[in-house]
Amino acid sequence: MPQLIPSPWFLIMLLTWTVILTTMLLKTSLYEPTNNTPPKPKQAQHNSWDWPW
């Protein structure tokens, strides 16, 4: 019954996926997005004016 004795590649694959998933989980859970957008410029104040005539 060869199904009861898996080849060592199954264990290697299982350990590899465990390491990859754990690494990705830690990277995504500890990720803090940075806000590098420059601040909005202040709008120049325009005084109202009338036509000269």
Side-chain angles (χ1 to χ4, degrees), residues 5-33:
I5 305 173
S7 65
W9 293 109
F10 179 74
L11 182 62
I12 293 171
M13 183 191 68
L14 188 66
L15 289 175
T16 304
W17 275 106
T18 305
V19 168
I20 289 173
L21 290 178
T22 305
T23 305
M24 295 305 255
L25 180 65
L26 288 175
K27 281 182 174 279
T28 56
S29 65
L30 297 176
Y31 177 73
E32 293 181 10

